[in-house]
Amino acid sequence: MNEPNRQSFWDNLTNTKLIRYVLLFALAWAVVQVLAYFETVIIIFVFAAIFAFLLNFPVRWASRIMPRGVATVLVFLLSLLLIGGIVVTLGIAAFSQAQQLVEQAPQLLNSVTELLGNLQSLLQRWNLNVDFSELEGQLRNGALSTLGLGFTTVQNVLANALDLIVIAVVAFFMLLDGKRLWDLILRIFPRGMRDRITIAVRKNFLGFFWGRFLLSVFFGISVYIVFILLGVPYALGLAAIAGVFDLIPGIGATLGITLISLIILPQGIGLALTVLVSCILLQQIEENILMPRIMQGSINMNPVVMFFALLVGARVAGLVGVFLSIPIAGVLISLFEVEEMQGKQD
């Protein structure tokens, strides 16, 4: 009985419609190529827009008691001082601990090698012949590669300091006169959709980035307190790693916890397991108690759709796509009111 409905798409498919679909696909491919070509420029403007978008909230509040220009300059300078102070204070301490960790990397590697040797001896007593020599070689090569990658990352961060300055300058001018640019972008859409688009963008983007930032701060601070109580070495540096990884939506916290547990493993299996369990408990508190309250009223998305958006965003635009995919998908779901893609309502 439903057979005619199934065939209606193919029955109604004409050469004109087929050409339109092909042209639409070609246009999407061309857009992806343009984005890849102008990747650096797009990254600068995207992060500048996010920074300006987040600062616009306190600027609007301060504009009630002073001119908007003065409020913009004041909020912008205070935010730079606050961010700079936090980065310098925590960065120096974290860098110092990271340097100590790098200096003791050979000792940690020897501890892992000794641990593997003891495990191999134990298995041989049980008549299980296992050779970990190849694994030990891979661990040594991996450790050297990781150190090289770490130094390369630091060099890239220093080399891209100019980009950070450009992002700050662009964000400042977006704060000063960003509304006219936004109104210009909205002209692409019909008049009836412009208010809905503005509300959807503000709700999804502002809610997502503020919520992600607050959750990462909570996770980093709570992990640091737990590490201090457990007597974990390099507590501040490892907590900074956990907080930074937690900024990545979806799997960031899991990756950070796994990396930290591997770093602590040479200090003892018991300590590594304790750290792993503690971090997993903190992650569950974050995701099941804090996240629903912090993200309430912003991102309302089915988890399957969220991970699909993450994978597509990572494939199209790399790390920037990972951060932007969820709020963009949230905007589309809000605009088109796709209930099947929304999360369950309590």
Side-chain angles (χ1 to χ4, degrees):
M1 187 173 182
N2 294 329
E3 190 66 23
N5 293 331
R6 292 199 196 100
Q7 296 179 352
S8 60
F9 173 80
W10 299 105
D11 293 339
N12 295 327
L13 184 63
T14 62
N15 291 336
T16 303
K17 289 184 178 181
L18 181 60
I19 292 175
R20 289 178 181 175
Y21 292 143
V22 173
L23 290 177
L24 183 62
F25 178 80
L27 177 61
W29 179 84
V31 169
V32 171
Q33 298 303 313
V34 170
L35 291 176
Y37 184 79
F38 293 101
E39 180 180 4
T40 303
V41 177
I42 293 173
I43 288 175
I44 290 176
F45 274 84
V46 164
F47 278 102
I50 293 172
F51 190 40
F53 191 72
L54 295 177
L55 291 182
N56 186 57
F57 207 67
V59 167
R60 288 174 57 189
W61 179 83
S63 298
R64 301 175 183 175
I65 56 178
M66 63 182 72
R68 180 174 175 86
V70 177
T72 299
V73 174
L74 184 61
V75 170
F76 185 77
L77 292 178
L78 288 177
S79 64
L80 287 184
L81 289 175
L82 180 62
I83 294 174
I86 293 175
V87 170
V88 171
T89 303
L90 296 180
I92 292 176
F95 181 78
S96 176
Q97 291 192 3
Q99 187 177 13
Q100 296 177 13
L101 182 61
V102 171
E103 291 175 353
Q104 295 188 8
Q107 299 179 8
L108 297 177
L109 187 58
N110 291 332
S111 300
V112 173
T113 304
E114 183 179 355
L115 182 64
L116 290 176
N118 294 334
L119 179 59
Q120 181 175 341
S121 300
L122 180 61
L123 293 176
Q124 287 177 350
R125 293 178 185 174
W126 294 344
N127 296 324
L128 295 174
N129 295 323
V130 180
D131 187 9
F132 289 120
S133 58
E134 184 177 352
L135 178 60
E136 293 175 6
Q138 292 178 355
L139 285 174
R140 293 184 183 276
N141 294 332
L144 293 176
S145 301
T146 303
L147 290 177
L149 179 61
F151 287 121
T152 303
T153 303
V154 172
Q155 292 176 355
N156 291 335
V157 170
L158 295 177
N160 294 329
L162 181 61
D163 291 342
L164 297 178
I165 297 175
V166 175
I167 289 174
V169 173
V170 174
F172 175 71
F173 284 105
M174 284 183 175
L175 274 175
L176 282 177
D177 206 15
K179 187 177 185 303
R180 291 198 301 169
L181 292 176
W182 179 247
D183 292 338
L184 177 64
I185 295 174
L186 288 178
R187 291 182 184 178
I188 304 174
F189 305 95
R191 288 184 178 273
M193 292 186 62
R194 293 176 184 176
D195 291 339
R196 290 178 57 201
I197 291 174
T198 301
I199 294 173
V201 169
R202 182 182 297 121
K203 182 181 73 171
N204 286 276
F205 274 82
L206 185 63
F208 174 76
F209 285 110
W210 268 120
R212 199 69 259 166
F213 173 75
L214 293 176
L215 290 171
S216 299
V217 170
F218 160 79
F219 192 67
I221 293 176
S222 59
V223 165
Y224 176 67
I225 294 174
V226 170
F227 286 176
I228 291 294
L229 295 177
L230 294 177
V232 176
Y234 322 112
L236 183 58
L238 295 177
I241 293 175
V244 170
F245 269 92
D246 194 54
L247 286 170
I248 302 175
I251 61 172
T254 302
L255 293 176
I257 291 172
T258 304
L259 178 60
I260 290 172
S261 300
L262 292 175
I263 294 175
I264 298 176
L265 183 60
Q267 304 294 329
I269 297 179
L271 181 60
L273 290 177
T274 304
V275 167
L276 179 63
V277 172
S278 302
C279 289
I280 290 176
L281 290 177
L282 291 175
Q283 182 186 12
Q284 295 304 310
I285 293 174
E286 174 192 341
E287 293 183 353
N288 297 307
I289 298 178
L290 294 179
M291 185 181 293
R293 288 166 173 77
I294 292 178
M295 295 291 188
Q296 185 177 13
S298 56
I299 302 294
N300 181 22
M301 189 182 307
N302 188 296
V304 177
V305 178
M306 182 189 72
F307 279 103
F308 178 77
L310 283 174
L311 294 174
V312 172
R315 180 67 183 88
V316 173
L319 187 59
V320 177
V322 170
F323 283 98
L324 296 181
S325 58
I326 292 179
I328 290 176
V331 170
L332 296 176
I333 292 173
S334 300
L335 289 177
F336 295 102
E337 298 179 351
V338 186
E339 296 182 359
E340 291 81 4
M341 292 186 177
Q342 296 178 354
K344 292 182 180 180
Q345 300 291 337
D346 294 331

